[in-house]
Amino acid sequence: MAKLLLLNGPNLNRLGKREPEVYGSETLDDIEHNVREVVEAVQYQLDAKQSNHEGELIDWIHEAEGVYKGIIFNPGAYTHTSIALRDAISSITVPVIEVHISNVHQREEFRHTSLLAPVCRGQIVGLGTAGYQLAAKYFTLND
Ligand code: DHK
């Protein structure tokens, strides 16, 4: 059975409580539940992980090689800072879709740049938590 990995980075465990005017009221559990529904409807399997630690995210990306068909990844603020995460994504052949709940381009200048997008399959920004489900749909469509 094909598997997808849903990966969330720093502060995304605070969803639901964190700046609801920016990130909405859904929790990470809600998001994982909704993505799981999309994935399981087409007989895929989902693993979902969240970490506030860059190194742990890097380890999980390395371990994804040969295991997952795709990674749906919201790297949080590491999007804008982490060359190490970019190198981790480049080091595997599993395609990664970068997802942002908010429209980062409508926000502070420092959020306009993604160090990771150039090595990702694609990027979904500003569509709220639906972005995660749309990324899952992409991976399940392309069989
Ligand atoms: C989430 C974060 O934690 C921010 O650091 C990013 C992103 C935007 C989001 O919109 O999901 O800048």
Side-chain angles (χ1 to χ4, degrees), residues 116-129:
L116 311 186
V119 297
C120 287
R121 172 65 58 88
Q123 190 192 39
I124 299 174
V125 308
L127 303 184
T129 56

PDB file of all heavy atoms in Angstrom, residues 116-129:
ATOM      1  N   LEU A 116      13.326  26.516   0.635  1.00  0.00           N
ATOM      2  CA  LEU A 116      13.011  25.113   0.330  1.00  0.00           C
ATOM      3  C   LEU A 116      12.266  24.938  -0.994  1.00  0.00           C
ATOM      4  O   LEU A 116      12.426  23.911  -1.666  1.00  0.00           O
ATOM      5  CB  LEU A 116      12.168  24.505   1.457  1.00  0.00           C
ATOM      6  CG  LEU A 116      12.672  24.717   2.888  1.00  0.00           C
ATOM      7  CD1 LEU A 116      11.818  23.930   3.860  1.00  0.00           C
ATOM      8  CD2 LEU A 116      14.125  24.300   3.023  1.00  0.00           C
ATOM      9  N   ALA A 117      11.479  25.932  -1.368  1.00  0.00           N
ATOM     10  CA  ALA A 117      10.616  25.790  -2.559  1.00  0.00           C
ATOM     11  C   ALA A 117      11.384  25.353  -3.810  1.00  0.00           C
ATOM     12  O   ALA A 117      10.882  24.523  -4.580  1.00  0.00           O
ATOM     13  CB  ALA A 117       9.845  27.076  -2.808  1.00  0.00           C
ATOM     14  N   PRO A 118      12.614  25.865  -4.048  1.00  0.00           N
ATOM     15  CA  PRO A 118      13.309  25.459  -5.274  1.00  0.00           C
ATOM     16  C   PRO A 118      13.626  23.962  -5.357  1.00  0.00           C
ATOM     17  O   PRO A 118      13.857  23.451  -6.449  1.00  0.00           O
ATOM     18  CB  PRO A 118      14.612  26.284  -5.240  1.00  0.00           C
ATOM     19  CG  PRO A 118      14.307  27.448  -4.358  1.00  0.00           C
ATOM     20  CD  PRO A 118      13.354  26.920  -3.327  1.00  0.00           C
ATOM     21  N   VAL A 119      13.642  23.271  -4.214  1.00  0.00           N
ATOM     22  CA  VAL A 119      13.937  21.836  -4.261  1.00  0.00           C
ATOM     23  C   VAL A 119      12.691  20.994  -3.973  1.00  0.00           C
ATOM     24  O   VAL A 119      12.780  19.775  -3.788  1.00  0.00           O
ATOM     25  CB  VAL A 119      15.115  21.454  -3.319  1.00  0.00           C
ATOM     26  CG1 VAL A 119      16.392  22.139  -3.772  1.00  0.00           C
ATOM     27  CG2 VAL A 119      14.814  21.791  -1.859  1.00  0.00           C
ATOM     28  N   CYS A 120      11.533  21.657  -3.927  1.00  0.00           N
ATOM     29  CA  CYS A 120      10.274  20.930  -3.727  1.00  0.00           C
ATOM     30  C   CYS A 120       9.582  20.706  -5.065  1.00  0.00           C
ATOM     31  O   CYS A 120       9.817  21.418  -6.034  1.00  0.00           O
ATOM     32  CB  CYS A 120       9.344  21.725  -2.810  1.00  0.00           C
ATOM     33  SG  CYS A 120       9.887  21.719  -1.083  1.00  0.00           S
ATOM     34  N   ARG A 121       8.687  19.727  -5.105  1.00  0.00           N
ATOM     35  CA  ARG A 121       7.886  19.491  -6.300  1.00  0.00           C
ATOM     36  C   ARG A 121       6.987  20.697  -6.566  1.00  0.00           C
ATOM     37  O   ARG A 121       6.790  21.116  -7.702  1.00  0.00           O
ATOM     38  CB  ARG A 121       7.045  18.216  -6.076  1.00  0.00           C
ATOM     39  CG  ARG A 121       5.999  17.911  -7.141  1.00  0.00           C
ATOM     40  CD  ARG A 121       6.621  17.596  -8.485  1.00  0.00           C
ATOM     41  NE  ARG A 121       7.527  16.465  -8.422  1.00  0.00           N
ATOM     42  CZ  ARG A 121       7.188  15.179  -8.567  1.00  0.00           C
ATOM     43  NH1 ARG A 121       5.942  14.866  -8.814  1.00  0.00           N
ATOM     44  NH2 ARG A 121       8.106  14.230  -8.494  1.00  0.00           N
ATOM     45  N   GLY A 122       6.425  21.254  -5.502  1.00  0.00           N
ATOM     46  CA  GLY A 122       5.560  22.413  -5.642  1.00  0.00           C
ATOM     47  C   GLY A 122       5.299  23.034  -4.287  1.00  0.00           C
ATOM     48  O   GLY A 122       5.791  22.547  -3.258  1.00  0.00           O
ATOM     49  N   GLN A 123       4.519  24.105  -4.323  1.00  0.00           N
ATOM     50  CA  GLN A 123       4.246  24.868  -3.103  1.00  0.00           C
ATOM     51  C   GLN A 123       2.775  25.279  -3.122  1.00  0.00           C
ATOM     52  O   GLN A 123       2.275  25.711  -4.159  1.00  0.00           O
ATOM     53  CB  GLN A 123       5.140  26.105  -3.131  1.00  0.00           C
ATOM     54  CG  GLN A 123       5.195  26.917  -1.864  1.00  0.00           C
ATOM     55  CD  GLN A 123       5.869  28.267  -2.093  1.00  0.00           C
ATOM     56  OE1 GLN A 123       5.655  28.892  -3.133  1.00  0.00           O
ATOM     57  NE2 GLN A 123       6.656  28.710  -1.144  1.00  0.00           N
ATOM     58  N   ILE A 124       2.097  25.133  -1.984  1.00  0.00           N
ATOM     59  CA  ILE A 124       0.708  25.581  -1.859  1.00  0.00           C
ATOM     60  C   ILE A 124       0.661  26.572  -0.701  1.00  0.00           C
ATOM     61  O   ILE A 124       1.010  26.206   0.427  1.00  0.00           O
ATOM     62  CB  ILE A 124      -0.241  24.395  -1.587  1.00  0.00           C
ATOM     63  CG1 ILE A 124      -0.197  23.385  -2.742  1.00  0.00           C
ATOM     64  CG2 ILE A 124      -1.667  24.896  -1.359  1.00  0.00           C
ATOM     65  CD1 ILE A 124      -0.994  22.107  -2.485  1.00  0.00           C
ATOM     66  N   VAL A 125       0.268  27.799  -0.967  1.00  0.00           N
ATOM     67  CA  VAL A 125       0.235  28.801   0.102  1.00  0.00           C
ATOM     68  C   VAL A 125      -1.106  29.516   0.110  1.00  0.00           C
ATOM     69  O   VAL A 125      -1.729  29.720  -0.933  1.00  0.00           O
ATOM     70  CB  VAL A 125       1.359  29.866  -0.017  1.00  0.00           C
ATOM     71  CG1 VAL A 125       2.718  29.237  -0.156  1.00  0.00           C
ATOM     72  CG2 VAL A 125       1.115  30.845  -1.139  1.00  0.00           C
ATOM     73  N   GLY A 126      -1.549  29.865   1.314  1.00  0.00           N
ATOM     74  CA  GLY A 126      -2.674  30.789   1.448  1.00  0.00           C
ATOM     75  C   GLY A 126      -4.050  30.173   1.283  1.00  0.00           C
ATOM     76  O   GLY A 126      -5.040  30.900   1.281  1.00  0.00           O
ATOM     77  N   LEU A 127      -4.136  28.871   1.180  1.00  0.00           N
ATOM     78  CA  LEU A 127      -5.453  28.243   1.002  1.00  0.00           C
ATOM     79  C   LEU A 127      -5.970  27.648   2.308  1.00  0.00           C
ATOM     80  O   LEU A 127      -6.867  26.808   2.305  1.00  0.00           O
ATOM     81  CB  LEU A 127      -5.373  27.175  -0.095  1.00  0.00           C
ATOM     82  CG  LEU A 127      -4.885  27.670  -1.462  1.00  0.00           C
ATOM     83  CD1 LEU A 127      -4.949  26.559  -2.491  1.00  0.00           C
ATOM     84  CD2 LEU A 127      -5.694  28.881  -1.940  1.00  0.00           C
ATOM     85  N   GLY A 128      -5.392  28.113   3.409  1.00  0.00           N
ATOM     86  CA  GLY A 128      -5.803  27.586   4.715  1.00  0.00           C
ATOM     87  C   GLY A 128      -5.377  26.134   4.851  1.00  0.00           C
ATOM     88  O   GLY A 128      -4.486  25.658   4.138  1.00  0.00           O
ATOM     89  N   THR A 129      -6.062  25.437   5.741  1.00  0.00           N
ATOM     90  CA  THR A 129      -5.675  24.044   5.987  1.00  0.00           C
ATOM     91  C   THR A 129      -6.048  23.131   4.816  1.00  0.00           C
ATOM     92  O   THR A 129      -5.559  22.006   4.730  1.00  0.00           O
ATOM     93  CB  THR A 129      -6.327  23.527   7.278  1.00  0.00           C
ATOM     94  OG1 THR A 129      -7.738  23.699   7.163  1.00  0.00           O
ATOM     95  CG2 THR A 129      -5.819  24.295   8.497  1.00  0.00           C
TER      96      THR A 129
END
